[in-house]
Amino acid sequence: MTVGKDVSALFPDVVNCMQTDNLELKKLVYLYLMNYAKSQPDMAIMAVNTFVKDCEDPNPLIRALAVRTMGCIRVDKITEYLCEPLRKCLKDEDPYVRKTAAVCVAKLHDINAQLVEDQGFLDTLKDLISDSNPMVVANAAAALSEIAESHPSSNLLDLNPQSINKLLTALNECTEWGQIFILDCLANYTPKDDREAQSICERVTPRLSHANSAVVLSAVKVLMKFMEMLSKDLDYYGTLLKKLAPPLVTLLSAEPELQYVALRNINLIVQKRPEILKHEMKVFFVKYNDPIYVKLEKLDIMIRLASQANIAQVLAELKEYATEVDVDFVRKAVRAIGRCAIKVEQSAERCVSTLLDLIQTKVNYVVQEAIVVIKDIFRKYPNKYESVIATLCENLDSLDEPEARAAMIWIVGEYAERIDNADELLESFLEGFHDESTQVQLQLLTAIVKLFLKKPTETQELVQQVLSLATQDSDNPDLRDRGYIYWRLLSTDPVAAKEVVLAEKPLISEETDLIEPTLLDELICYIGTLASVYHKPPSAFVEGGRGVVHKSLPPRTASNESTESPETAPAGAPPGEQPDVIPAQGDLLGDLLNLDLGPPVSGPPLATSSVQMGAVDLLGGGLDSLMGDEPEGIGGTNFVAPTTAAAPANLGAPIGSGLSDLFDLTSGVGTLSGSYVAPKAVWLPAMKAKGLEISGTFTRQVASISMDLQLTNKALQVMTDFAIQFNRNSFGLAPAAPLQVHAPLSPNQTVEISLPLSTVGSVMKMEPLNNLQVAVKNNIDVFYFRTLYPLHILFVEDGKMGESLCTEPFLGGPEEPRGLLLTCGTPLFPLPDCTLQNQCFRVDGLTLLASRALVTGLTAGVWAASIFGPHPAGCDSCPLCFPSHLCQAQLCTPHSPIGSHSPPPTPFLPERSPRDEHFLPRPLFPLQLSLKCRAPEVSQHVYQAYETILKN
Amino acid sequence: MIGGLFIYNHKGEVLISRVYRDDIGSQAADSAVFSSSGPFLRERLGGSVRRNAVDAFRVNVIHARQQVRSPVTNIARTSFFHVKRSNIWLAAVTKQNVNAAMVFEFLYKMCDVMAAYFGKISEENIKNNFVLIYELLDEILDFGYPQNSETGALKTFITQQGIKSQTKEEQSQITSQVTGQIGWRREGIKYRRNELFLDVLESVNLLMSPQGQVLSAHVSGRVVMKSYLSGMPECKFGMNDKIVIEKQGKGTADETSKSGKQSIAIDDCTFHQCVRLSKFDSERSISFIPPDGEFELMRYRTTKDIILPFRVIPLVREVGRTKLEVKVVIKSNFKPSLLAQKIEVRIPTPLNTSGVQVICMKGKAKYKASENAIVWKIKRMAGMKESQISAEIELLPTNDKKKWARPPISMNFEVPFAPSGLKVRYLKVFEPKLNYSDHDVIKWVRYIGRSGIYETRC
């Protein structure tokens, strides 16, 4: 105020002027004090005496001035002296002084809340509600409301029918501002029954004719809130609805800034009670000279009010707007046309043709916006307006905005079969893949995958290119993850992929931008305020404790229930359930956007670290198999997929391992491999082996099997020169490396060794199937023992074996004459959520990767398919309620103990007891397994093995 | 409530700054700096902290490159409400969830009050009335709560000349008036001649399609009263409101048939705060004690049976790519005895217009290149007449793909009747204490209908 100059040095001189008779000079001195007292707190004390004296001046104007100014001096020392004069002024004979003192209580409370309570000012303030002067009542109501807001729990604003009556009486007589304070205060009250609500409404409705828009809006707030309590059958309810419309319309002839506030509020009101303004469409038509913020808001409301009855008019208007100058406005208008199409089905055709007209204008941003909305229209009315695609494709080159490009790509991908040159179009986008925004990249990835699934023959190269671009060259985790998922999906099971990627999409809903109902109800309680302008709860933009109380609409009560309702409800906290957490609009918006932008398939949440692991592996073998070459499986297994689909048949173990990690999220770092490890069992007791005791177990760590051995020297001499050898066995298990015990094993020493195993050894059928004969040699002797290894260590992680595998090769096609079929005859069903701990999938929540069949392959070319039949209880209709723990229980089965040496079964859900009835799998739904081996002689017996498994 | 009020000039310099609450300006920074510095530095930084809010508005709104996208701006959790009057920005600042409508109403009121004290709101006037404005701000806004802001009352104790010391009676009179039920009128007003003027001012708004279909039409009207009446007169205003007339019509069937046609349906009306709203709500009678001098008694809006004074018939033909032919006919549609004035028709032309040839039957027409429009002015025009203009517009060939938006043809005029059909039936004045009766008051009524946004699409 002093143009930034510091004039605090003059403080003593200015204070000297305080005791003047000149009112004007006094005011200036006071103004100076207000600005500089805080910087000179010690000197400010000098002024106190004059203040106290002025508070007793015969002139009421001076008394009021003194008490008003004192409250503005935020110096603690002064506030102590303020109490006495304030107390006097609150009881002053002159209403002008009293109304000033009422506000001063609020000021004092802001500086020192405790002081106000201790001094009993709050009670005095409450008494002022019954003051004879309406201005005093209004200011007291304002002060009390403000203080109550910072004490949400207190019963400060203890409104009862008597005080309400006083407020309503004062309402008729006080100034426009006073009316606003009183109405805002009334809005915090919850009437005890509908009769009381109605009588208050009746006394508030005359305010709707006030010239001051704020009075009108505050009255609307009270009415909207109390209306909630009125029964809809009541005549009065209908009358009230009719009375609300005209004043709201009148608000639109106010100044533009107020129009803006009014429109933001009308937007809320229309969402809450659309019936009020449903016939008033025309007043929301945009005027040429409206400021842009008014135009945009009007447009929003027009769409909300659009219905079959007025759609023709609305469309004609929107078409006009689409030719205006302001880019934002035009865009919104174009978008609005699309929204009309989605909202009013009868108009869809006209909307589409209007949009096509607009595309013909070739105005860049109009075209782009039109394409974005046409995408939504396709989502709402599939297979109806695809004839326009050709026109859209003509404008491909002019699209430069990410949203429009993404929309266009989506369209091309979605209707790839109808667009002859879809691959060329998408390829053209692919050229600058890395310069595109994420939105476009994601969409492009999805579109090309769709295209590939629709026209697999011509587009292999393309899909491979985009997958490698997305996974190899991109830094964006979302893109990479989505790339992997598609890749995985395509390589696992193209049919399932088709099922997932080309799934029928749910139709989009009409009103995607509605405010969430609890938030809307809260905002209705804030009509007229900033919260209603921002469409955010006050807590989103107000700091500190103020305004964090959630307001909610009163519950509807009938008068006959009134006896049960509480006598006085606390203000601001009506007895209705209060919403606990109201998400900020931003969040909601974000969610909506995600939903909207996201592709039909959303990937599971993946841990980045595992992504990296998978990345390396995937790129190794994945590509080859994707290309449909005959892949070399590990261990020289030539396992060729049926050529019906160009999709991959076999992926090497490394690929799978990466993914097993991808999906195995819950198992944490310790069990990264996801494999179950049985505790070590003693295989070779010391007495049988001249003092060498061997205990061990089998583990599977990321694609490799190993035998964990613990060698203990219980003899008296040093042992050296260890070696190990396996006998031929069913799955060709053999040590992949020599047994390395580096130092000689001294007496009573124990050494832990992990021996990697491979499955390339020679095969011989064993009895039982998982029997393993081992020979261990050292400098003393050669020892023999046998052990049973758990089958699960042989399971590979890739889960390779699509549906096709289950149905065809098992039947023993020409490629796989040695195959043994043990598959089930039951139809396969989508499996949304399942967990297989051992080298299998963990598919979380809604992950769409849950393919039709969950299949595990054994390394040695033996394939075990665990195929799930439908739940007999009829849950199959709803895949989501497929009981996930059932799946888990079932999937435990393959590695439950076979022989006596094998570990006991472990529950995979630690929080659940294995005795839980759901863990009794068989009666609930049958598990079917198939196993295959490259050795025919073994194959026959696989069946037996599984019999054993199942029995256990 | 309002935390502070700033007035800026067009450059963004602060002319007036009045802070009501401490919360505006960053508190955290404030205390952090204060604790570590002496009192002198404290003041300087204290000033600068407060300036943060001031500067934020300047940087983000006044100096913003873009056109203002919203009258409410939230910068760093601080909300700014602004209103612009010529070159002056008024900004109210708050950190709380205030009543937004109230803040804007207050800003408008503030403008009105300032205008009532020193006329036009300009930088110079504000600088010259620096003290007065602070005095006013102190009075009409207390801790961010608007107080009595009626100029009539304010002028009794805030003046530009300095106040003579008042007697005790005068002082209590002032305070009772400021806080009283009739805060807008002081007692003891005396006129030798009791006179009142009523102006019914209406603006007709129209949006018509090229085919002559009314897309939207409404009249927003105001009844402005200038009263020079002694004492505390009780007034009652009556007009041909359909609801009132139908109510009365039940008693005298004769009158209904006569006035039934003339009555109008008012969609909605709002009143000056002097009107007893509860009485209007129950009886629909408009009774009040008027402020002294000029004030707006009521505003109303009608949409039914509007007399559209003019009809515009446009005809635009594109002849090839470089030529446009425009023909516009206007028809006046009211009693031939009445004269419309200040008629102006604005026909927009494309941006690439190179030349225009105009022929009009009446008035003067000119192509204004700076406004991209042909402006056709007619001084007077009687009712039930017709006039025509035709123009040939030559265009420069452009490679601009965007089509010309064809803004609507707009029209301005003034007619001496109320297009809504509103008629003042009576305005009765009662002053029981002073000895003048309703008959002694000289009353004047005038109707003016103006064009609001009167557009025809072409």
Side-chain angles (χ1 to χ4, degrees):
Chain A
M1 89 183 254
T2 50
V3 207
K5 281 191 193 107
D6 181 13
V7 290
S8 61
L10 300 171
F11 204 89
D13 306 283
V14 176
V15 171
N16 279 338
C17 298
M18 246 176 119
Q19 289 165 341
T20 170
D21 288 337
N22 186 327
L23 193 60
E24 205 171 343
L25 180 56
K26 203 182 254 306
K27 283 180 180 171
L28 283 174
V29 173
Y30 279 1
L31 190 62
Y32 177 89
L33 281 177
M34 274 188 260
N35 278 286
Y36 289 102
K38 213 178 170 186
S39 58
Q40 310 261 342
D42 300 328
M43 297 238 257
I45 298 290
M46 297 200 305
V48 167
N49 205 18
T50 323
F51 274 126
V52 176
K53 226 168 88 191
D54 279 352
C55 284
E56 285 165 8
D57 196 278
N59 187 343
L61 291 173
I62 292 184
R63 290 202 296 274
L65 183 64
V67 80
R68 185 166 65 211
T69 313
M70 266 184 104
C72 297
I73 296 178
R74 304 175 64 93
V75 176
D76 285 342
K77 283 179 203 156
I78 288 199
T79 43
E80 290 166 28
Y81 296 102
L82 177 61
C83 294
E84 271 323 298
L86 178 60
R87 199 187 314 283
K88 263 186 217 152
C89 287
L90 280 166
K91 300 209 160 82
D92 200 285
E93 51 170 20
D94 197 297
Y96 183 73
V97 181
R98 288 202 301 277
K99 70 125 187 161
T100 313
V103 177
C104 191
V105 176
K107 291 180 191 169
L108 191 59
H109 185 270
D110 195 37
I111 304 169
N112 190 342
Q114 197 55 45
L115 187 69
V116 172
E117 278 171 45
D118 296 346
Q119 296 278 336
F121 284 135
L122 294 179
D123 294 326
T124 327
L125 203 55
K126 280 185 203 167
D127 293 343
L128 286 183
I129 293 278
S130 327
D131 199 279
S132 59
N133 186 292
M135 273 281 275
V136 180
V137 178
N139 275 5
L144 272 177
S145 305
E146 181 173 336
I147 294 170
E149 222 169 80
S150 53
H151 289 286
S153 53
S154 78
N155 220 4
L156 192 60
L157 201 58
D158 176 22
L159 296 172
N160 51 44
Q162 286 78 39
S163 56
I164 289 291
N165 201 18
K166 279 169 192 147
L167 287 176
L168 285 167
T169 314
L171 184 63
N172 286 326
E173 292 162 351
C174 63
T175 63
E176 43 193 332
W177 313 115
Q179 297 186 16
I180 300 168
F181 306 152
I182 291 178
L183 287 168
D184 285 352
C185 183
L186 274 178
N188 289 329
Y189 177 66
T190 309
K192 63 176 191 292
D193 57 39
D194 56 346
R195 263 176 301 195
E196 196 191 356
Q198 181 175 344
S199 79
I200 295 175
C201 286
E202 277 166 1
R203 293 179 71 175
V204 167
T205 30
R207 298 300 121 198
L208 294 176
S209 310
H210 203 284
N212 188 315
S213 311
V215 176
V216 177
L217 269 178
S218 291
V220 169
K221 165 166 58 188
V222 175
L223 295 175
M224 282 293 285
K225 202 178 164 190
F226 289 5
M227 226 158 132
E228 200 70 8
M229 296 182 70
L230 300 176
S231 152
K232 286 197 173 169
D233 319 325
L234 223 59
D235 286 347
Y236 183 70
Y237 181 84
T239 329
L240 203 54
L241 277 184
K242 272 191 208 127
K243 275 192 178 168
L244 274 173
L248 288 175
V249 173
T250 302
L251 290 177
L252 299 184
S253 45
E255 288 83 348
E257 290 89 359
L258 267 174
Q259 277 187 50
Y260 174 73
V261 174
L263 286 165
R264 293 291 284 176
N265 279 290
I266 289 172
N267 200 330
L268 296 173
I269 293 169
V270 164
Q271 286 184 55
K272 180 75 191 166
R273 297 191 184 280
E275 62 270 31
I276 294 178
L277 287 166
K278 65 180 173 203
H279 299 302
E280 303 287 350
M281 173 59 98
K282 277 189 181 179
V283 297
F284 297 103
F285 285 178
V286 171
K287 292 179 190 140
Y288 196 71
N289 294 327
D290 279 336
I292 182 67
Y293 48 82
V294 170
K295 284 183 176 176
L296 293 172
E297 288 307 313
K298 279 188 173 173
L299 203 51
D300 235 9
I301 295 170
M302 276 173 71
I303 304 162
R304 294 205 194 285
L305 290 177
S307 67
Q308 205 183 335
N310 54 25
I311 193 73
Q313 268 182 326
V314 175
L315 264 183
E317 279 294 309
L318 291 176
K319 207 175 167 183
E320 285 290 330
Y321 303 161
T323 58
E324 284 229 27
V325 188
D326 190 283
V327 177
D328 281 353
F329 180 60
V330 172
R331 283 171 176 279
K332 199 161 182 176
V334 175
R335 200 161 278 218
I337 297 175
R339 275 169 66 185
C340 281
I342 291 164
K343 195 172 174 193
V344 186
E345 188 164 358
Q346 291 81 0
S347 72
E349 198 156 339
R350 289 168 68 181
C351 294
V352 172
S353 71
T354 309
L355 287 171
L356 279 181
D357 288 351
L358 289 172
I359 289 177
Q360 299 303 345
T361 62
K362 304 273 178 198
V363 179
N364 194 302
Y365 52 85
V366 173
V367 174
Q368 310 211 30
E369 206 64 39
I371 286 177
V372 172
V373 290
I374 285 179
K375 182 200 77 175
D376 287 344
I377 294 176
F378 285 163
R379 285 288 307 271
K380 171 79 180 176
Y381 309 108
N383 305 319
K384 220 170 160 188
Y385 300 110
E386 281 70 17
S387 51
V388 308
I389 291 176
T391 322
L392 303 186
C393 291
E394 287 167 19
N395 293 288
L396 215 56
D397 302 332
S398 61
L399 307 179
D400 52 12
E401 287 157 26
E403 207 183 346
R405 286 173 83 86
M408 192 63 220
I409 291 169
W410 184 87
I411 293 171
V412 174
E414 188 66 16
Y415 298 101
E417 68 272 27
R418 301 179 193 222
I419 305 169
D420 296 333
N421 58 344
D423 47 344
E424 283 168 35
L425 294 178
L426 290 177
E427 203 168 354
S428 69
F429 280 109
L430 202 57
E431 277 160 19
F433 189 76
H434 288 294
D435 303 328
E436 300 281 7
S437 74
T438 315
Q439 194 186 5
V440 180
Q441 292 177 333
L442 287 169
Q443 210 54 261
L444 195 54
L445 174 62
T446 306
I448 292 179
V449 171
K450 283 183 190 166
L451 175 70
F452 171 68
L453 289 168
K454 286 174 178 172
K455 302 178 181 173
T457 41
E458 311 119 66
T459 54
Q460 271 173 34
E461 218 168 296
L462 196 60
V463 80
Q464 185 192 329
Q465 201 182 342
V466 76
L467 283 175
S468 81
L469 278 172
T471 53
Q472 239 172 336
D473 305 339
S474 171
D475 292 333
N476 186 319
D478 284 347
L479 185 64
R480 230 166 31 207
D481 288 357
R482 195 183 286 187
Y484 284 139
I485 284 166
Y486 282 139
W487 201 323
R488 190 81 199 108
L489 206 52
L490 291 175
S491 54
T492 310
D493 183 351
V495 182
K498 212 163 184 171
E499 206 64 43
V500 168
V501 178
L502 304 180
E504 206 162 292
K505 281 162 280 296
L507 299 182
I508 56 170
S509 79
E510 311 180 347
E511 303 270 355
T512 44
D513 57 343
L514 284 181
I515 295 176
E516 190 236 355
T518 45
L519 178 63
L520 179 63
D521 282 358
E522 194 188 357
L523 290 180
I524 289 287
C525 300
Y526 289 114
I527 284 178
T529 66
L530 263 181
S532 70
V533 175
Y534 294 145
H535 288 185
K536 281 179 191 163
S539 51
F541 60 91
V542 174
E543 269 168 6
R546 279 176 202 279
V548 289
V549 195
H550 285 310
K551 296 193 183 180
S552 60
L553 292 174
R556 197 174 293 273
T557 48
S559 45
N560 53 5
E561 289 167 6
S562 59
T563 44
E564 294 158 31
S565 59
E567 273 296 300
T568 46
E577 66 279 16
Q578 299 217 343
D580 283 330
V581 182
I582 292 177
Q585 201 207 5
D587 300 348
L588 286 172
L589 203 72
D591 287 350
L592 287 174
L593 281 176
N594 280 342
L595 266 180
D596 207 31
L597 300 177
V601 181
S602 54
L606 300 177
T608 336
S609 62
S610 33
V611 170
Q612 242 112 38
M613 280 185 63
V616 186
D617 293 334
L618 259 175
L619 296 167
L623 251 162
D624 308 344
S625 54
L626 213 78
M627 295 184 59
D629 290 340
E630 286 211 351
E632 282 283 310
I634 279 184
T637 320
N638 268 343
F639 191 81
V640 183
T643 47
T644 43
N650 192 1
L651 279 178
I655 298 166
S657 70
L659 265 144
S660 118
D661 291 332
L662 280 180
F663 294 117
D664 191 3
L665 283 176
T666 49
S667 50
V669 187
T671 52
L672 199 69
S673 65
S675 174
Y676 170 74
V677 180
K680 288 197 173 86
V682 178
W683 285 338
L684 185 68
M687 25 186 322
K688 278 191 182 175
K690 299 183 180 168
L692 175 68
E693 190 184 67
I694 299 178
S695 57
T697 186
F698 291 94
T699 56
R700 184 177 182 95
Q701 296 281 357
V702 193
S704 66
I705 309 166
S706 59
M707 188 189 220
D708 287 348
L709 293 169
Q710 184 179 307
L711 309 178
T712 312
N713 184 356
K714 294 200 171 172
L716 293 169
Q717 62 183 115
V718 177
M719 296 182 181
T720 51
D721 303 325
F722 285 95
I724 197 164
Q725 200 171 9
F726 291 177
N727 198 357
R728 287 196 290 173
N729 56 63
S730 313
F731 296 100
L733 275 181
L739 187 65
Q740 289 186 324
V741 181
H742 299 294
L745 201 61
S746 357
N748 278 330
Q749 198 194 350
T750 302
V751 68
E752 302 251 8
I753 302 156
S754 182
L755 178 72
L757 303 182
S758 69
T759 52
V760 295
S762 43
V763 175
M764 187 184 80
K765 202 224 118 198
M766 297 297 290
E767 191 61 47
L769 204 63
N770 54 344
N771 195 353
L772 182 68
Q773 294 177 337
V774 185
V776 175
K777 175 190 121 358
N778 63 5
N779 57 342
I780 299 167
D781 206 340
V782 178
F783 311 102
Y784 299 96
F785 66 91
R786 19 176 250 168
T787 181
L788 298 175
Y789 52 89
L791 274 180
H792 79 257
I793 59 161
L794 301 168
F795 291 6
V796 290
E797 289 87 344
D798 62 355
K800 191 106 315 291
M801 228 159 115
E803 192 181 39
S804 50
L805 273 175
C806 297
T807 50
E808 287 167 69
F810 279 76
L811 292 165
E815 305 90 358
E816 281 294 305
R818 293 171 297 171
L820 168 76
L821 174 73
L822 264 176
T823 190
C824 54
T826 18
L828 305 172
F829 277 81
L831 187 67
D833 181 358
C834 68
T835 307
L836 186 56
Q837 199 84 358
N838 272 306
Q839 287 95 7
C840 287
F841 303 111
R842 174 186 295 278
V843 183
D844 281 308
L846 288 172
T847 307
L848 291 164
L849 252 177
S851 59
R852 287 202 148 208
L854 190 70
V855 178
T856 53
L858 298 180
T859 355
V862 175
W863 292 77
S866 324
I867 303 157
F868 294 86
H871 188 268
C875 245
D876 51 344
S877 58
C878 159
L880 293 185
C881 68
F882 204 90
S884 56
H885 52 268
L886 282 186
C887 305
Q888 287 163 350
Q890 282 302 311
L891 292 163
C892 298
T893 325
H895 43 82
S896 48
I898 297 170
S900 54
H901 282 110
S902 293
T906 337
F908 283 88
L909 288 177
E911 71 275 15
R912 244 175 240 278
S913 136
R915 280 186 299 275
D916 192 321
E917 56 172 287
H918 295 303
F919 278 77
L920 301 171
R922 301 218 44 191
L924 285 173
F925 71 104
L927 169 76
Q928 278 128 0
L929 298 163
S930 44
L931 259 181
K932 238 181 351 175
C933 182
R934 61 190 157 106
E937 66 271 30
V938 175
S939 301
Q940 301 158 24
H941 300 277
V942 170
Y943 180 68
Q944 293 166 5
Y946 270 88
E947 277 264 293
T948 334
I949 293 169
L950 291 177
K951 270 176 195 153
N952 289 335
Chain B
M1 286 301 115
I2 299 173
L5 206 131
F6 305 114
I7 301 181
Y8 298 81
N9 65 7
H10 67 284
K11 289 183 216 153
E13 291 164 354
V14 185
L15 303 177
I16 300 282
S17 102
R18 177 75 166 88
V19 176
Y20 292 96
R21 294 193 177 222
D22 262 12
D23 58 359
I24 60 167
S26 133
Q27 290 280 306
D30 211 331
S31 55
V33 173
F34 284 0
S35 55
S36 61
S37 54
F40 173 68
L41 189 61
R42 191 180 289 180
E43 158 54 29
R44 261 181 45 206
L45 289 167
S48 74
V49 166
R50 188 165 289 165
R51 297 213 142 235
N52 279 348
V54 177
D55 292 339
F57 182 75
R58 172 179 43 241
V59 172
N60 289 294
V61 181
I62 300 181
H63 289 170
R65 282 189 195 158
Q66 240 194 339
Q67 188 191 352
V68 176
R69 291 319 247 196
S70 161
V72 186
T73 330
N74 195 330
I75 307 162
R77 292 203 151 215
T78 310
S79 301
F80 295 82
F81 299 76
H82 74 264
V83 165
K84 210 181 164 195
R85 289 286 180 271
S86 61
N87 271 337
I88 301 297
W89 300 73
L90 273 85
V93 187
T94 183
K95 281 218 151 182
Q96 296 172 32
N97 182 27
V98 297
N99 189 323
M102 185 189 81
V103 175
F104 280 123
E105 284 284 1
F106 176 78
L107 289 176
Y108 300 141
K109 197 79 193 187
M110 176 78 206
C111 295
D112 291 349
V113 171
M114 288 197 291
Y117 270 95
F118 51 76
K120 194 170 169 278
I121 298 174
S122 63
E123 186 172 348
E124 198 190 348
N125 275 345
I126 286 173
K127 282 181 173 165
N128 290 341
N129 292 283
F130 178 80
V131 175
L132 173 77
I133 292 172
Y134 276 113
E135 210 176 327
L136 283 171
L137 282 176
D138 196 37
E139 186 59 42
I140 60 179
L141 207 55
D142 188 6
F143 200 44
Y145 289 104
Q147 304 292 309
N148 194 330
S149 51
E150 287 302 313
T151 26
L154 289 172
K155 278 191 173 171
T156 57
F157 63 105
I158 297 177
T159 61
Q160 283 154 296
Q161 282 85 38
I163 308 164
K164 294 158 268 158
S165 58
Q166 299 128 323
T167 63
K168 211 176 172 192
E169 291 79 61
E170 279 171 344
Q171 287 161 5
S172 67
Q173 212 174 35
I174 291 169
T175 56
S176 79
Q177 201 208 322
V178 172
T179 57
Q181 299 178 10
I182 311 161
W184 51 88
R185 188 179 180 94
R186 64 193 164 92
E187 282 189 53
I189 299 169
K190 278 209 177 81
Y191 287 101
R192 201 183 294 162
R193 221 158 77 125
N194 289 303
E195 228 177 343
L196 67 86
F197 301 86
L198 272 179
D199 280 344
V200 177
L201 306 170
E202 296 197 336
S203 71
V204 212
N205 296 281
L206 170 78
L207 186 62
M208 198 178 251
S209 75
Q211 292 76 33
Q213 189 192 4
V214 177
L215 295 173
S216 78
H218 74 272
V219 169
S220 53
R222 305 186 297 145
V223 178
V224 177
M225 183 169 163
K226 246 184 244 171
S227 71
Y228 303 105
L229 302 169
S230 314
M232 291 298 244
E234 176 75 44
C235 300
K236 212 173 163 193
F237 175 71
M239 55 184 177
N240 58 341
D241 179 4
K242 204 173 194 172
I243 300 173
V244 178
I245 292 195
E246 272 167 13
K247 233 187 223 171
Q248 291 171 341
K250 279 172 195 160
T252 53
D254 191 36
E255 207 183 349
T256 330
S257 56
K258 255 198 277 174
S259 57
K261 267 185 200 162
Q262 291 164 11
S263 65
I264 60 158
I266 290 177
D267 286 25
D268 188 38
C269 45
T270 59
F271 297 99
H272 185 262
Q273 59 166 327
C274 66
V275 177
R276 293 184 187 88
L277 293 176
S278 41
K279 219 164 175 187
F280 176 75
D281 197 55
S282 56
E283 303 163 24
R284 228 176 151 84
S285 72
I286 302 163
S287 62
F288 55 96
I289 296 171
D292 196 39
E294 187 173 329
F295 73 103
E296 190 181 282
L297 175 64
M298 71 178 284
R299 272 170 189 257
Y300 57 92
R301 183 168 50 83
T302 70
T303 46
K304 289 202 186 74
D305 303 321
I306 295 167
I307 308 157
L308 295 173
F310 285 95
R311 166 92 207 273
V312 178
I313 305 158
L315 196 75
V316 180
R317 214 155 60 91
E318 286 176 39
V319 187
R321 294 191 59 196
T322 55
K323 205 170 159 192
L324 270 179
E325 276 182 13
V326 182
K327 199 173 108 180
V328 177
V329 182
I330 58 167
K331 285 184 181 170
S332 57
N333 178 32
F334 44 87
K335 272 190 241 164
S337 56
L338 298 175
L339 274 180
Q341 287 181 303
K342 300 177 188 166
I343 301 153
E344 187 185 290
V345 182
R346 183 173 287 265
I347 304 160
T349 56
L351 296 172
N352 55 340
T353 303
S354 60
V356 176
Q357 276 136 25
V358 204
I359 310 160
C360 59
M361 291 156 57
K362 223 178 160 192
K364 281 177 190 164
K366 230 184 189 174
Y367 167 63
K368 293 196 174 166
S370 59
E371 296 166 40
N372 284 314
I374 301 167
V375 181
W376 177 25
K377 284 183 178 168
I378 305 170
K379 274 191 185 142
R380 266 178 221 95
M381 189 166 173
M384 306 315 272
K385 289 264 163 58
E386 197 179 301
S387 191
Q388 188 186 320
I389 183 170
S390 48
E392 272 186 19
I393 302 169
E394 274 163 36
L395 304 174
L396 291 168
T398 54
N399 48 8
D400 193 3
K401 268 190 193 166
K402 201 187 160 192
K403 234 176 66 182
W404 176 46
R406 285 206 188 182
I409 296 175
S410 60
M411 198 177 167
N412 290 317
F413 55 80
E414 202 178 289
V415 288
F417 63 91
S420 69
L422 182 127
K423 289 267 178 328
V424 176
R425 290 172 61 220
Y426 57 81
L427 198 144
K428 292 173 191 157
V429 182
F430 309 96
E431 170 53 64
K433 282 182 195 157
L434 297 171
N435 53 349
Y436 70 94
S437 75
D438 186 35
H439 301 292
D440 301 333
V441 182
I442 306 155
K443 301 168 191 167
W444 307 86
V445 183
R446 169 166 73 158
Y447 298 93
I448 300 170
R450 290 200 184 97
S451 53
I453 296 160
Y454 203 85
E455 293 176 339
T456 307
R457 289 186 179 151
C458 56

